Amino acid sequence: MKHTGLRQPFLLSALCAAMLAGAAPSWAVTDKEILEDGKTTHQIVTNGLGLEGQRYSPLSILNTDNVKELRPVWALSFGGEKQRGQQAQPMIKDGVMYVTASYSRVFAVDARTGRELWQYDARLPDDIRPCCDVINRGVALYGDLVIFGTLDAKLVALNKDTGKVVWRKNVADHKAGYSITAAPLIVNGRLITGVSGGEFGVVGKIEAYDPKNGELLWSRPTVEGHMGYVYKDGKAVENGISGGEAGKTWPGDLWKTGGAAPWLGGYYDAETNLLFFGTGNPAPWNSHLRPGDNLYSSSRLALNPEDGSIKWHFQTTPHDGWDFDGVNELISFNYQEGGKTVKAAATADRNGFFYVLDRTNGKFIRGFPFVDKITWAKGLDKNGRPIYDDSNRPGSPSATEKGTSVFAAPAFLGAKNWMPMAYNQDTGLFYVPSNEWGMDIWNEDIAYKKGAAYLGAGFTIKPLNEEYIGVLRAIDPKTGKEAWRVKNYAPLWGGVLTTKGNLVFTGNPEGYLMAFNAKSGEKVWEFQTGSGVLGSPVTWEMDGEQYVSVLSGWGGAVPLWGGEVAKRVKDYNQGGMLWTFKLPKDLVAKK
Ligand code: CA
């Protein structure tokens, strides 16, 4: 196996010796390393194994022939009384793993032995307002800093050797309902983050900071009517593109509390120099209060990373009335058609449709359902806009009576929620962790009050089938055809990884980390981790061996919001473990 990275084994040994001798190692994550992460196998310095977020590893030491020999080498408990909802992706640099845990904690761990090097606890205030459990999705690495967002809406930069705070920055007011759960992203010297809080009527925004000192560089609100700014010498100047007119797609003053929180963070495509972020529901959930498309809620946005200006938008659910947040990842990929390369991007929306867009301009190429039951729309028109069935929109309430309840599928937790899909460059398939469920949903009277839940809706989620809710699907983005599916009893809530070794990894709430044959869907390996797997698995090469790591720890939105589904999974144990596996050198199958 060829080392595609810059660092050779002898350099690693030299580094370890330097660390033992107490000398400062020359560790520094560069913009170049971040841009090349998708092709590099000896480290992981982006969320998504590459800024495009394909979650594809070019490693094939581990493959369908030998994966049965994959075995645990160490595990680490996150400890404390905070064992729930572990949803992060580990990062690896120079033999050290950096990972976040529930309640805004960060751990640095020796990737060879599992020995904890340091941990940082953000010591959150009592009045945080996370909508959907006390989760976090990972760190960014830059220079000698480990940077992450907290549930009280701060960015914190830690020294990678000591875990000591280098800078801390308030991004938004947690008392108004803001929080940060996504991993920040670094693009050419800018640290870019979204915010959470759509269930509290916040104004969503995407912002760039100087990763060296936490200075604000630009701010782009995601609700039409709010201005975006670039900051120069501490002063704000308008960032060129308008955020649209206030009131244009929103009635009255509702744009002032419009939600559209880009809570899942974003990805970046170097070919087009565009950031891709998704935005959450318009607030409140009761759509009768806000006639119009309610831009830029439930949309995908392409932004210029230099100033935050919006280059294009594609709204998956205009006038969303079901909490079909449009935050799900938009993944860049190229394919051949008619002898030409199509620069596409794909997303599997909460609303049940899979979309393929032209990522250079946001134009709709094709879309199709990726779950078995969709009731809220009859289909998509030629521009990808849903064809509504008005009888399936929850009715308008009065001051004293709730509105008509409807049964809608998918449920608001989505045909697919936050858990990232993966794209395999060899099979040309997307591997999508999806769920088959519906909900009774109705609207209720609501008024905005700072820091209070701003839904104006009630709901009960229900499974559509007795035998399963989760379905891992292999989807061909060129045809919409499903190559294979694997059913799972509990809803799937973990990320997916795929590799050149023809493997697909994901976890389930039942506690298994599983590997599948990427072409056939045959399960080829599994391991019981002791608690539900909600994390995003990673793989990398160290000392000539291929490793796999994943977080285990049940929690997240399903037990909190899942209605009848929550009852189905109520006996699953919470947890907080970081597991690492490898294929020992002497067990690599000879071809
Ligand atoms: Ca939402």
Side-chain angles (χ1 to χ4, degrees):
M1 188 66 206
K2 183 166 68 81
H3 282 266
T4 48
L6 302 170
R7 228 173 264 290
Q8 298 299 318
F10 77 92
L11 276 178
L12 278 176
S13 316
L15 185 77
C16 291
M19 284 174 88
L20 288 171
S26 60
W27 189 99
V29 176
T30 63
D31 287 307
K32 188 161 180 284
E33 286 176 87
I34 290 169
L35 285 166
E36 291 174 353
D37 199 40
K39 297 187 176 72
T40 312
T41 56
H42 69 291
Q43 61 185 24
I44 300 164
V45 295
T46 58
N47 176 46
L49 281 76
L51 282 170
E52 326 61 29
Q54 290 185 351
R55 295 180 189 276
Y56 169 80
S57 168
L59 280 171
S60 59
I61 302 171
L62 181 68
N63 54 53
T64 41
D65 295 334
N66 58 26
V67 67
K68 62 182 185 297
E69 303 291 355
L70 184 66
R71 58 197 60 192
V73 285
W74 56 261
L76 173 78
S77 170
F78 293 136
E81 294 168 2
K82 299 171 174 178
Q83 302 275 44
R84 59 172 306 131
Q86 312 299 347
Q87 294 192 355
Q89 181 216 288
M91 302 276 243
I92 321 280
K93 175 68 180 168
D94 290 348
V96 179
M97 186 178 294
Y98 302 89
V99 66
T100 59
S102 50
Y103 288 95
S104 303
R105 292 174 293 161
V106 184
F107 288 75
V109 185
D110 183 323
R112 289 182 175 79
T113 64
R115 184 170 64 93
E116 182 182 310
L117 302 175
W118 53 257
Q119 66 166 289
Y120 170 80
D121 184 335
R123 292 199 187 85
L124 299 164
D126 292 335
D127 58 350
I128 53 167
R129 290 165 171 82
C131 77
C132 309
D133 209 359
V134 288
I135 58 107
N136 184 278
R137 300 196 169 97
V139 299
L141 303 178
Y142 193 68
D144 60 356
L145 298 176
V146 179
I147 309 170
F148 83 117
T150 66
L151 290 170
D152 58 345
K154 291 178 171 59
L155 287 169
V156 181
L158 307 168
N159 178 283
K160 58 98 180 168
D161 293 323
T162 63
K164 294 256 157 45
V165 174
V166 176
W167 58 260
R168 186 190 278 120
K169 185 87 183 185
N170 203 32
V171 172
D173 180 6
H174 74 273
K175 292 178 198 296
Y178 287 96
S179 56
I180 301 178
T181 51
L185 137 108
I186 305 262
V187 176
N188 293 325
R190 292 177 179 83
L191 174 82
I192 298 156
T193 184
V195 293
S196 311
E199 272 57 52
F200 298 90
V202 304
V203 173
K205 59 179 182 174
I206 300 162
E207 292 189 324
Y209 292 82
D210 185 334
K212 294 188 289 297
N213 53 27
E215 257 177 50
L216 182 62
L217 300 174
W218 55 255
S219 179
R220 175 66 263 169
T222 48
V223 178
E224 186 183 54
H226 296 267
M227 294 304 300
Y229 293 95
V230 173
Y231 291 80
K232 287 207 173 89
D233 306 322
K235 286 202 194 79
V237 288
E238 280 182 26
N239 71 0
I241 189 158
S242 84
E245 284 169 48
K248 204 169 167 201
T249 60
W250 293 85
D253 281 345
L254 263 81
W255 62 283
K256 292 180 180 169
T257 51
W263 56 262
L264 195 48
Y267 293 95
Y268 171 74
D269 171 48
E271 275 189 57
T272 54
N273 189 33
L274 290 173
L275 292 169
F276 297 125
F277 273 69
T279 56
N281 60 286
W285 286 17
N286 174 7
S287 60
H288 297 280
L289 291 174
R290 41 174 176 74
D293 280 1
N294 315 133
L295 290 172
Y296 297 96
S297 65
S298 301
S299 301
R300 303 303 185 286
L301 303 180
L303 295 93
N304 179 343
E306 277 125 54
D307 61 9
S309 55
I310 297 174
K311 299 318 239 182
W312 55 257
H313 73 274
F314 181 87
Q315 192 172 34
T316 46
T317 314
H319 196 220
D320 183 356
W322 303 265
D323 188 38
F324 289 148
D325 291 22
V327 294
N328 287 358
E329 69 283 4
L330 181 67
I331 302 307
S332 301
F333 72 110
N334 291 342
Y335 66 90
Q336 302 299 316
E337 196 162 71
K340 283 202 302 203
T341 299
V342 181
K343 290 186 185 184
T347 191
D349 200 275
R350 287 254 286 259
N351 71 18
F353 291 99
F354 190 99
Y355 300 81
V356 179
L357 307 179
D358 180 334
R359 72 178 187 272
T360 67
N361 56 21
K363 291 260 158 58
F364 177 72
I365 296 175
R366 69 183 72 86
F368 43 83
F370 68 96
V371 284
D372 294 338
K373 187 167 181 140
I374 295 178
T375 65
W376 67 278
K378 292 182 243 179
L380 302 176
D381 72 12
K382 66 179 181 7
N383 298 314
R385 190 180 171 93
I387 303 160
Y388 285 111
D389 179 345
D390 283 336
S391 64
N392 286 337
R393 180 180 290 271
S396 182
S398 70
T400 50
E401 301 261 324
K402 69 178 197 177
T404 317
S405 179
V406 298
F407 180 78
F412 72 91
L413 285 178
K416 173 186 166 298
N417 200 284
W418 82 276
M419 53 285 190
M421 60 186 185
Y423 174 73
N424 190 303
Q425 297 170 7
D426 310 307
T427 64
L429 300 171
F430 278 91
Y431 301 97
V432 184
S434 68
N435 290 310
E436 297 283 349
W437 47 19
M439 63 180 166
D440 290 326
I441 181 167
W442 58 91
N443 290 317
E444 297 165 347
D445 192 36
I446 186 78
Y448 176 78
K449 185 166 167 277
K450 183 186 170 183
Y454 187 46
L455 302 185
F459 41 81
T460 307
I461 292 189
K462 296 173 169 174
L464 292 175
N465 305 290
E466 272 307 304
E467 306 75 31
Y468 65 94
I469 299 170
V471 185
L472 178 65
R473 290 174 151 95
I475 293 176
D476 184 340
K478 290 167 78 170
T479 62
K481 291 222 169 72
E482 194 177 283
W484 52 260
R485 65 165 68 183
V486 174
K487 295 171 187 168
N488 198 74
Y489 175 73
L492 291 174
W493 212 253
V496 182
L497 164 74
T498 187
T499 77
K500 195 167 188 65
N502 191 35
L503 293 169
V504 175
F505 285 90
T506 197
N508 65 11
E510 289 90 334
Y512 288 96
L513 176 65
M514 303 169 287
F516 301 92
N517 180 312
K519 290 195 188 97
S520 69
E522 182 200 351
K523 193 195 281 180
V524 287
W525 178 84
E526 68 179 8
F527 180 86
Q528 173 56 248
T529 66
S531 182
V533 177
L534 312 181
S536 296
V538 293
T539 190
W540 78 101
E541 183 188 0
M542 191 164 64
D543 311 324
E545 294 175 305
Q546 188 172 345
Y547 285 72
V548 174
S549 276
V550 76
L551 269 64
S552 162
W554 176 235
V558 174
L560 296 176
W561 294 81
E564 288 180 20
V565 172
K567 284 182 208 151
R568 192 185 266 207
V569 295
K570 71 177 171 31
D571 294 331
Y572 291 19
N573 291 332
Q574 290 168 193
M577 293 287 279
L578 171 55
W579 281 95
T580 292
F581 308 84
K582 76 170 178 181
L583 177 68
K585 230 177 235 166
D586 53 351
L587 292 172
V588 174
K590 298 281 180 289
K591 288 258 180 172

